[in-house]
Amino acid sequence: MLEKLMKKIDKNCNNIDKDMVQRAYSLAYSAHKDQRRESGEPYIMHPLEVAGILADMGMDTSAITAGLLHDVIEDTNYTYEEVSKEFSEEVANLVEGVTKLGKIKYKTKEEQQADNVRKMLLAMAKDIRVILIKLADRLHNMRTLKYMSVEKQKEKAKETFDIYAPLAHRLGMFKIKWELEDLAFRYMNPNEYYFIVRKIAEKRVERENYIELVVNQLQESLDKSGIPAEIDGRPKHFYSVYRKMVKKNKTIDQIFDLTAFRILVDTVKDCYAALGIVHTIFKPIPGRFKDYIAMPKPNMYQSLHSTVIGPQGKPFEIQIRTFEMHKTAEYGIAAHWKYKEGVENAEDIDKKLTWLREILEWQRETSDAEEFMEGFKIDLFSDEVFVFTPKGSVINLPNESTPIDFAYRIHTDIGNRCVGAKVNGKMVPLDYSLKTGEIVEVLASSAPKGPSIDWLSMVKSNQAKSKIRAWFKKAKREENIVKGKETLEKETKKQGYNFGEIAKGEFLDNILKKYNMNSIDDLYAAVGIGALVPATVVGKLKELYSKTEKLDANELKVIQEQLNKSNKHHENKDKGTSPGIIVKGETNLLVRFAKCCNPVPGDDIVGYITKGRGVSIHRKDCKNIDSLLKNEENKLVEVSWGRPKGAAFVAEIQINAEDREGLLAESMEIISDSKTSLYAVNAKPPKNGIAKINIKLKISNTEDLKDVMKKIKKIKGVIDVYRTKN
């Protein structure tokens, strides 16, 4: 295997330090010596194969070395520092860039995947070779996927479809892209895959005869015209055929262009001359010609594409390109990368990676893992349109993009000042879907009037969405905070809860952490701007809160048995001396007051048996009790006040407020001026910018308590005041 790698290096690479490659092999062999692949092979076979794929691309010493070492930091005891010292910081950075975030615990697979992709994108931005090594790693893993469990096969295949094949497409690495797609297709849809393989194999002889016929006709005509060329024909890739069947809703027998032909020539001039000859021999199908030489794809792909009617009336696609273009089409960015061709080529490569910078910029604005992954997939593999500026520059955008997307692609300021647009000299609405070849002119105001919130539903590019949201965040933060708070409170009430109750303590901390936010104001602002759906936020808060309210069958049985044991002696005890709440005459059970209705002495009450927190006391007119009566009536229990109305009792309230100087002093001043007495106070250290103060008061009636809470709620920065437990 090592000899095979060295032969590939000799054939495809220049100026390779073979001594370093040998040392990397020795270290990898030693590090992985006790490990085996699922196939039973020694683990060293995998890094050798990865290095071989990189050698096929013509990569440099550091990349091939990192390919051999790409798993040592993640899967063995070797550290970044040891690899850096033994080889170089450059090699260690490449290995570190490929290493997954495997030691962090995630709640969902989506979150883990999102963080791994984010890490990979950041590493790519520093050094594009990271993704080339990662693609080589994934390609060999897919080639050996048959040794994994069926569940693992489908998981890896889906991830390949969603992330790695689109990345190869974006980087113009079509040879790797097609193989990844066909391998993923094999495990995701095995029945369809083998059906297409069998059908294509059945027509192998017929196809080969047809290819020979077409190639001979083309070669003869090109030779007569003095155009040296290489011509080949091949069946289309399996996944490509399947996608065409699904898209056109046809069977494989109804798809005629299962074969693609390629003509390779020396110069661009010869490309267009060869096209003329092809169209002379075979009749072109109208609307099926694409010139990617004059307008290259963002991934650097260049070629002429034309679909023609061939012998026997069968249509086929023909691609015409130079040998250099073909090299780029096979290996994309790996064919022209800056480490290989010097600083002079660096700026050109950086331009080709504009999409990467845009994704990085957008991902910083996106905290939700699901939204990030969905947007990432759309950005990577969406169809594109190519439009022109009035000066003739080509701008590529996602399919169905609007003039607003175009404006933000030109410049953020142009987007913020956009008030209208012209396409081919005619006014169009801002939600107009741009088409390839159109000339777009943006009409802008003299001052930045700012985007409309409706634009978020109109634009197609993540770049435009990110810049629109950034404008609203910066320009209207205070307004969005107020709007977001009101929206969340309204949505919470609609779902039968109190926002201050479910958005506190660990519940709020979990939500802020999930959305990567520092304070509750960030959450309000995100909802206000439309970046977060209020129903989703409240749903997650409700889910966290409701977990503490659920009761399993065994615990319910134990508590009910305990309640049933209460005797008449207890039941008839003098309620004037009984403290707190009496539950069917039992005074020693754990009770707490529900925050959704805040019952106090004098209210008609009922008890609800909760999980691990005793009996929750609700007012009888509480909305939540109505739903419990329908669904969980067996968890309701009779309760009564242990003290008559008017007796002094201790009530605890909690204040949630934005942390600031003087907050506690102002609260104490209100209490000292009221008819209540301070019993105890506990102020917790601020978390995420939110101060939490627990105050115990001695009160004699409900009106005094309500009056104090009402006045405290008016203090600047107070988010909520509510009764905790008695």
Side-chain angles (χ1 to χ4, degrees):
M1 286 295 295
L2 183 60
E3 280 181 26
K4 184 180 172 184
L5 172 62
M6 290 303 182
K7 285 178 182 178
K8 285 185 177 184
I9 288 172
D10 289 338
K11 180 182 177 182
N12 303 309
C13 308
N14 297 316
N15 303 319
I16 299 296
D17 182 347
K18 290 186 178 179
D19 179 60
M20 183 182 283
V21 173
Q22 287 272 8
R23 286 191 292 115
Y25 166 76
S26 298
L27 189 148
Y29 183 85
S30 172
H32 295 298
K33 66 181 177 183
D34 297 325
Q35 298 174 345
R36 289 196 170 267
R37 301 271 285 168
E38 291 288 336
S39 62
E41 292 178 329
Y43 196 90
I44 189 63
M45 301 292 282
H46 172 61
L48 273 168
E49 289 283 5
V50 170
I53 294 168
L54 293 166
D56 284 334
M57 295 182 200
M59 300 302 289
D60 69 345
T61 301
S62 294
I64 295 171
T65 301
L68 286 165
L69 301 173
H70 76 275
D71 275 335
V72 296
I73 293 179
E74 185 176 344
D75 294 339
T76 76
N77 294 326
Y78 279 90
T79 64
Y80 170 92
E81 289 72 24
E82 287 171 330
V83 173
S84 179
K85 184 178 177 182
E86 181 68 27
F87 296 93
S88 69
E89 192 176 327
E90 183 184 14
V91 170
N93 285 337
L94 288 171
V95 176
E96 177 72 9
V98 177
T99 301
K100 295 190 291 292
L101 302 168
K103 296 181 181 177
I104 300 175
K105 291 184 178 179
Y106 295 91
K107 292 181 181 176
T108 66
K109 181 75 178 173
E110 200 83 13
E111 284 183 15
Q112 183 179 19
Q113 192 182 60
D115 268 6
N116 278 321
V117 170
R118 278 190 171 104
K119 178 179 184 289
M120 187 170 65
L121 290 173
L122 290 168
M124 278 172 66
K126 294 176 186 173
D127 194 326
I128 193 64
R129 289 175 294 181
V130 167
I131 192 57
L132 304 183
I133 298 167
K134 192 65 187 171
L135 284 171
D137 172 44
R138 176 51 60 114
L139 181 57
H140 183 250
N141 280 333
M142 290 301 293
R143 286 174 178 173
T144 55
L145 200 57
K146 64 182 177 182
Y147 299 106
M148 307 288 278
S149 66
V150 173
E151 184 183 349
K152 203 74 175 171
Q153 285 174 352
K154 288 193 179 295
E155 181 188 320
K156 292 291 181 187
K158 185 176 187 309
E159 192 177 53
T160 299
F161 263 136
D162 288 347
I163 296 170
Y164 294 100
L167 270 171
H169 173 84
R170 270 290 188 174
L171 294 169
M173 305 172 73
F174 287 96
K175 187 172 184 179
I176 288 176
K177 175 211 166 185
W178 287 121
E179 187 176 354
L180 285 175
E181 283 186 340
D182 277 355
L183 288 167
F185 176 43
R186 174 182 171 185
Y187 294 103
M188 283 290 287
N189 305 87
N191 293 335
E192 291 87 341
Y193 173 83
Y194 286 110
F195 172 77
I196 292 172
V197 170
R198 191 169 62 252
K199 282 290 186 181
I200 289 178
E202 285 172 4
K203 298 185 177 184
R204 185 175 66 86
V205 175
E206 179 187 329
R207 186 179 62 251
E208 286 176 352
N209 291 336
Y210 187 78
I211 288 172
E212 186 180 356
L213 175 65
V214 172
V215 168
N216 287 340
Q217 281 186 266
L218 288 170
Q219 193 72 63
E220 186 180 338
S221 297
L222 289 169
D223 287 345
K224 282 181 182 177
S225 301
I227 301 173
E230 281 187 14
I231 307 168
D232 68 32
R234 55 168 180 79
K236 289 194 171 180
H237 298 278
F238 301 132
Y239 181 63
S240 174
V241 174
Y242 173 71
R243 200 166 56 191
K244 185 170 285 191
M245 288 168 61
V246 172
K247 190 175 180 181
K248 295 187 176 181
N249 195 24
K250 290 184 176 181
T251 65
I252 192 167
D253 295 321
Q254 293 173 311
I255 297 174
F256 295 104
D257 56 335
L258 295 174
T259 306
F261 292 85
R262 185 181 298 128
I263 299 175
L264 302 181
V265 295
D266 292 323
T267 66
V268 172
K269 181 183 174 183
D270 287 345
C271 288
Y272 289 101
L275 177 69
I277 291 169
V278 169
H279 285 181
T280 302
I281 306 171
F282 306 115
K283 188 174 182 179
I285 296 176
R288 298 293 299 272
F289 169 68
K290 292 176 183 174
D291 186 345
Y292 294 119
I293 293 179
M295 287 194 296
K297 290 186 177 184
N299 57 20
M300 302 178 294
Y301 179 84
Q302 286 184 288
S303 188
L304 298 177
H305 288 198
S306 183
T307 303
V308 298
I309 304 293
Q312 304 163 20
K314 293 180 181 179
F316 64 83
E317 185 185 62
I318 191 153
Q319 301 167 357
I320 306 169
R321 60 180 79 135
T322 67
F323 288 96
E324 190 63 31
M325 289 174 191
H326 181 61
K327 185 180 175 186
T328 301
E330 292 281 285
Y331 292 114
I333 205 149
H336 294 282
W337 60 310
K338 58 186 173 187
Y339 306 96
K340 186 175 177 181
E341 300 192 5
V343 180
E344 192 176 314
N345 196 42
E347 285 184 22
D348 184 48
I349 292 298
D350 284 340
K351 285 178 186 174
K352 306 298 184 188
L353 292 177
T354 303
W355 62 273
L356 173 58
R357 287 196 298 276
E358 287 168 1
I359 289 179
L360 284 172
E361 180 184 336
W362 166 71
Q363 69 91 19
R364 291 188 195 102
E365 303 287 332
T366 310
S367 51
D368 184 79
E370 292 176 22
E371 183 189 347
F372 170 73
M373 287 309 301
E374 190 59 35
F376 176 69
K377 293 168 193 173
I378 290 169
D379 245 17
L380 277 185
F381 223 175
S382 61
D383 290 331
E384 294 169 315
V385 292
F386 297 86
V387 292
F388 295 93
T389 67
K391 292 185 177 180
S393 298
V394 180
I395 302 292
N396 66 290
L397 294 163
N399 195 34
E400 297 184 348
S401 285
T402 65
I404 304 170
D405 292 283
F406 177 86
Y408 278 106
R409 179 60 60 86
I410 299 298
H411 196 276
T412 303
D413 184 54
I414 299 294
N416 288 338
R417 293 194 292 116
C418 176
V419 291
K422 287 182 180 181
V423 171
N424 296 337
K426 294 180 180 179
M427 289 293 295
V428 295
L430 287 176
D431 61 354
Y432 173 83
S433 292
L434 299 173
K435 299 171 186 64
T436 294
E438 291 179 328
I439 300 170
V440 186
E441 180 183 354
V442 176
L443 306 178
S445 62
S446 55
K449 77 176 190 70
S452 164
I453 195 72
D454 297 338
W455 289 6
L456 284 170
S457 61
M458 291 161 58
V459 296
K460 302 298 178 185
S461 63
N462 287 315
Q463 179 198 20
K465 285 180 183 177
S466 173
K467 289 179 177 179
I468 292 168
R469 285 174 179 154
W471 188 90
F472 278 104
K473 278 184 181 179
K474 185 177 178 181
K476 295 190 175 183
R477 180 170 169 80
E478 292 303 318
E479 185 181 322
N480 286 322
I481 289 172
V482 173
K483 182 180 176 183
K485 183 179 180 184
E486 289 174 355
T487 305
L488 283 173
E489 288 176 346
K490 187 176 178 181
E491 179 63 33
T492 313
K493 200 171 284 185
K494 182 179 167 185
Q495 296 193 33
Y497 284 79
N498 176 288
F499 185 71
E501 163 65 6
I502 66 172
K504 65 176 186 177
E506 59 183 315
F507 308 145
L508 178 61
D509 293 342
N510 283 336
I511 291 296
L512 294 179
K513 186 177 179 182
K514 174 178 174 56
Y515 293 118
N516 196 25
M517 293 174 178
N518 297 318
S519 71
I520 195 169
D521 274 356
D522 291 342
L523 182 68
Y524 289 151
V527 172
I529 194 180
L532 290 178
V533 179
T536 304
V537 176
V538 173
K540 292 186 185 300
L541 280 168
K542 202 170 77 169
E543 184 184 330
L544 292 167
Y545 177 75
S546 64
K547 282 179 183 175
T548 66
E549 295 291 327
K550 287 181 180 173
L551 180 72
D552 60 50
N554 290 333
E555 191 171 353
L556 175 61
K557 188 177 177 183
V558 170
I559 292 179
Q560 284 180 329
E561 285 175 0
Q562 187 181 2
L563 291 173
N564 291 333
K565 285 178 184 175
S566 55
N567 53 51
K568 250 184 173 179
H569 172 72
H570 254 124
E571 215 165 46
N572 295 324
K573 277 175 77 173
D574 178 13
K575 293 178 182 177
T577 59
S578 175
I581 291 287
I582 294 177
V583 182
K584 270 193 174 180
E586 181 63 62
T587 58
N588 294 323
L589 286 178
L590 174 66
V591 297
R592 69 183 189 88
F593 290 88
K595 313 308 184 300
C596 51
C597 55
N598 292 321
V600 293
D603 292 329
D604 290 329
I605 53 175
V606 66
Y608 170 63
I609 303 169
T610 68
K611 182 179 180 180
R613 300 173 72 183
V615 180
S616 176
I617 310 301
H618 291 258
R619 293 207 311 257
K620 281 190 176 178
D621 60 355
C622 175
K623 287 182 180 178
N624 289 334
I625 291 300
D626 291 337
S627 62
L628 291 172
L629 280 168
K630 294 175 186 173
N631 304 315
E632 300 178 282
E633 190 176 357
N634 63 330
K635 295 183 184 179
L636 297 179
V637 63
E638 290 180 21
V639 294
S640 59
W641 293 105
R643 290 182 183 272
K645 289 183 180 180
F649 68 97
V650 176
E652 182 178 338
I653 63 173
Q654 179 165 311
I655 303 170
N656 288 349
E658 297 167 3
D659 186 41
R660 65 176 179 82
E661 196 174 326
L663 176 64
L664 183 59
E666 288 179 38
S667 303
M668 294 299 100
E669 188 177 343
I670 288 173
I671 291 169
S672 65
D673 291 341
S674 71
K675 296 177 182 178
T676 63
S677 301
L678 182 66
Y679 184 79
V681 62
N682 178 28
K684 298 174 184 176
K687 201 168 185 181
N688 295 318
I690 303 299
K692 296 177 182 179
I693 304 170
N694 286 72
I695 300 173
K696 289 185 178 180
L697 302 168
K698 279 189 176 181
I699 63 171
S700 57
N701 59 66
T702 56
E703 295 306 314
D704 291 347
L705 179 62
K706 288 177 184 176
D707 185 55
V708 170
M709 292 172 70
K710 189 176 179 181
K711 287 177 180 176
I712 291 175
K713 200 161 186 177
K714 289 181 180 178
I715 295 175
K716 182 182 177 183
V718 170
I719 298 165
D720 203 4
V721 182
Y722 52 88
R723 180 90 178 276
T724 54
K725 61 185 179 181
N726 188 283

